[in-house]
Amino acid sequence: MKDDTLLTHAGNAPFENYGVVNPPVYHASTILSPTLEAYLARGSAKVRYGRSGTPTSFALEDAVAELEGGTGAVLTPSGLAAITTVLLACTRAGDHVLMTDSAYQPTRRFCDTILAKFGVQTEYYDPLIGGDIAALIRPETTVVYVESPGSLTFEVQDLPAIAAAAHDAGATVVADNTWGAGYYYKPLALGADIVLQAGTKYIVGHADTNMGVIVWKDHERYGTVRTDIQGLGVCAGPDDIYLALRGLRTMGVRLQRQQQSGLVLARWLADRPEVARVMHPALEGDPGHELWKRDFTGACSLFGFVLASDDMTALAAMMDGLQLHGMGASWGGYESLLIPTWPNKSRTATKWKETGQTMRIHVGLEDPDDLIADLEAGFERYRKAG
Ligand SMILES: Cc1ncc(COP(=O)(O)O)c(C=O)c1O
C-alpha cells in the first residue's frame, strides 16, 4: 500500500465495532476478568490494564508502525517522553551515547542531567560527521542518536553512513523523525533501529495535544522497549490518542500542501535583502540538498533563516505587528509560526558562526500570498525601526 492509502486505513477495524469508521475512545484503567482462571491468566491478555494499552492506543501504534516500516510501536504522552524513555530503555550505567549536536534542546538537557545522573555519558558530535563517526565510537557506546534535519539549523545527516559505523560496533541507532513525520523520511529503511516522533507536530496537526510514538524495526531485539516504557508507568491518554488518530488521517494532504507553501515562502525569503541565508534542505544550493534528495521524498514546512542583522529593536517592530505568524513554541499545526532562535546557546561540538539573528518559521495552511504580505509588512517595520 502507498502511504496515502495507509494513512487513511491503517489501524482501523470498523467491523470489530458495529462498522463505526473510527476506533472508539476507550477510557479505561480497570479491565475486569470474567472468571478466576481468566484473572490469573490476565498477564498474557492483550487488553489487561488501561496503562498497558486499549484498542484506541493499539490503533494509533499499529498505524504509525506501518507508516514508519516498523514491527512494533508504543505511545508516550509527549514527544519528549518518547525521547527520554527510549534513551533510558537503551542504556545502562557506564554506557556512552553519541548525540548529534543539532538535537532538540530538551533532548540535550535530559542527557546532561538525568542520563548523566544515572552514569550514562553523552558526547555530542558534528551532525555532518557521516561515516567518520566511527572514530568516536567506544566499546561502551550503546546508542548513536540522529535528528535529521537538525533542530533550528536543519543540517541533513548521512544516516546510512552513520548507521553502518554504529552497527559495526553493535550500537543501536535511534532517530528523531518528527520533521519527516514518517511520510517524507523513513529512517528504519536507511539504517535506524528505533525511530521516534513528536506526534504533537504533524500527526496531531492541530496544535491541540502532545503525543509521542516510538517504533522499532526488529521486534526480537527491541520489543522490550515497550515493556521498559510501560514499566516506567508512561502512557498516553485516550482523548489525546483519539486526536492524534484523527490528525493522522489527513496528515498526507496537510504535508503536501505545507511542503508547497513552505517552498514558496523559503524562495521568497531567500530573495529578501533582510535575509542572509535560508536553511531549507529542499532548496537547491542548501548544503544538505544532495543528501536530502537521496534520502527524503519531500520536506515539511518547518525551516530556518538567518537575518542579515541581530538588531532586536528592529526585530520586535517586525514581530509585534505580525497578524498571521504566531509567536510560540511547537510546530506542525495548521497555523503559521515564527520565532527567533539561538543555536549558539546549545552547541558544544560545533560552532554556530552566523552573526545575524536566526529565525525558525513554520508555514501553515494559510494562502502563501497572505503569509508573504504579512511578512512583507513586517520587513517594512523592520527596516524603519532598524
Ligand atoms: C524535533 C522535536 N522532537 C521532539 C519534540 C518534543 O515534542 P513534545 O513537545 O511533544 O514533547 C519537539 C518539540 O518541539 C521537536 O521539535
Side-chain angles (χ1 to χ4, degrees), residues 74-76 81-82 85-86 89 214 216 224-235:
V74 65
L75 305 181
T76 57
T85 55
V86 153
I214 300 160
W216 48 90
T224 50
V225 164
R226 183 184 183 87
T227 329
D228 288 348
I229 284 166
Q230 293 189 335
L232 288 165
V234 168
C235 63

Coordinates of all heavy atoms in Angstrom, one line a residue, residues 74-76 81-82 85-86 89 214 216 224-235:
V74 N 5.1 2.0 20.5 CA 4.5 2.3 21.8 C 4.3 3.8 21.9 O 5.1 4.6 21.3 CB 5.3 1.7 23.0 CG1 6.7 2.4 23.1 CG2 4.6 1.8 24.3
L75 N 3.2 4.2 22.5 CA 2.9 5.6 22.6 C 3.4 6.2 23.9 O 3.5 5.5 24.9 CB 1.4 5.9 22.6 CG 0.6 5.3 21.4 CD1 -0.9 5.6 21.5 CD2 1.2 5.8 20.1
T76 N 3.7 7.5 23.9 CA 4.1 8.2 25.1 C 3.3 9.5 25.1 O 2.8 9.9 24.1 CB 5.6 8.5 25.1 OG1 5.9 9.3 24.0 CG2 6.5 7.3 25.2
A81 N 8.8 12.7 26.0 CA 8.7 11.5 26.8 C 9.2 10.3 25.9 O 9.8 9.3 26.4 CB 7.3 11.2 27.3
A82 N 8.9 10.4 24.6 CA 9.4 9.3 23.7 C 10.9 9.3 23.7 O 11.6 8.3 23.7 CB 8.9 9.5 22.3
T85 N 12.4 8.2 27.3 CA 12.2 6.8 27.7 C 12.9 5.9 26.8 O 13.4 4.9 27.3 CB 10.7 6.5 27.7 OG1 10.1 6.8 26.4 CG2 9.9 7.2 28.8
V86 N 13.1 6.3 25.5 CA 13.9 5.4 24.7 C 15.4 5.4 25.1 O 16.0 4.4 25.2 CB 13.8 5.9 23.2 CG1 15.1 5.5 22.4 CG2 12.7 5.3 22.5
A89 N 15.6 3.3 28.1 CA 15.4 1.9 27.8 C 16.7 1.3 27.1 O 16.9 0.1 27.2 CB 14.2 1.7 26.9
I214 N 7.0 5.7 19.5 CA 8.3 5.1 19.3 C 8.0 3.8 18.5 O 7.1 3.1 18.8 CB 8.9 4.7 20.7 CG1 9.1 5.9 21.5 CG2 10.2 3.9 20.5 CD1 9.2 5.6 23.0
W216 N 10.0 0.4 16.4 CA 11.3 -0.3 16.2 C 11.1 -1.3 15.0 O 10.0 -1.7 14.6 CB 11.6 -1.1 17.5 CG 10.5 -1.9 18.1 CD1 10.1 -3.2 17.8 CD2 9.6 -1.4 19.0 NE1 9.0 -3.5 18.5 CE2 8.7 -2.5 19.3 CE3 9.4 -0.2 19.7 CZ2 7.6 -2.3 20.2 CZ3 8.3 -0.1 20.6 CH2 7.4 -1.1 20.8
T224 N 11.4 -5.2 23.8 CA 11.4 -4.9 25.2 C 11.4 -3.4 25.5 O 11.1 -3.1 26.7 CB 12.8 -5.5 25.8 OG1 13.8 -5.0 25.0 CG2 12.8 -7.0 25.9
V225 N 11.6 -2.6 24.5 CA 11.4 -1.2 24.7 C 10.0 -0.9 25.2 O 9.8 -0.1 26.1 CB 11.7 -0.4 23.4 CG1 11.2 1.0 23.4 CG2 13.2 -0.4 23.1
R226 N 9.0 -1.6 24.7 CA 7.6 -1.4 25.1 C 7.5 -1.8 26.6 O 6.9 -1.0 27.4 CB 6.7 -2.3 24.2 CG 5.3 -2.1 24.6 CD 4.4 -3.1 23.8 NE 3.0 -2.8 24.1 CZ 2.3 -1.9 23.5 NH1 2.7 -1.2 22.5 NH2 1.1 -1.6 24.0
T227 N 8.1 -2.9 27.0 CA 8.0 -3.3 28.4 C 8.6 -2.3 29.3 O 8.1 -2.0 30.4 CB 8.7 -4.7 28.6 OG1 8.6 -5.4 27.4 CG2 8.1 -5.5 29.7
D228 N 9.8 -1.8 28.9 CA 10.5 -0.9 29.7 C 9.8 0.4 29.9 O 9.7 1.0 31.0 CB 11.9 -0.5 29.1 CG 12.9 -1.7 29.2 OD1 12.6 -2.6 29.9 OD2 13.9 -1.7 28.5
I229 N 9.2 0.9 28.8 CA 8.5 2.2 28.8 C 7.2 2.0 29.7 O 6.9 2.9 30.5 CB 8.2 2.7 27.4 CG1 9.5 3.2 26.9 CG2 7.1 3.7 27.4 CD1 9.6 3.5 25.5
Q230 N 6.6 0.9 29.5 CA 5.4 0.7 30.4 C 5.8 0.5 31.8 O 5.0 0.8 32.8 CB 4.6 -0.5 29.8 CG 4.0 -0.1 28.5 CD 3.0 -1.1 27.9 OE1 3.0 -2.3 28.3 NE2 2.1 -0.7 27.1
G231 N 6.9 -0.1 32.0 CA 7.5 -0.3 33.4 C 7.8 1.1 34.1 O 7.8 1.2 35.3
L232 N 8.0 2.1 33.3 CA 8.2 3.4 33.8 C 6.8 4.1 34.2 O 6.8 5.2 34.7 CB 9.0 4.3 32.8 CG 10.4 4.0 32.7 CD1 11.0 4.7 31.4 CD2 11.2 4.5 33.9
G233 N 5.8 3.4 33.8 CA 4.4 4.0 34.1 C 4.0 5.0 33.1 O 3.1 5.8 33.3
V234 N 4.7 5.0 31.9 CA 4.4 6.1 30.9 C 3.3 5.6 30.0 O 3.4 4.5 29.4 CB 5.7 6.3 30.1 CG1 5.4 7.2 28.9 CG2 6.7 7.0 31.0
C235 N 2.2 6.3 29.8 CA 1.2 6.0 28.8 C 0.5 7.3 28.4 O 0.6 8.3 29.0 CB 0.2 5.0 29.4 SG -0.8 5.7 30.8

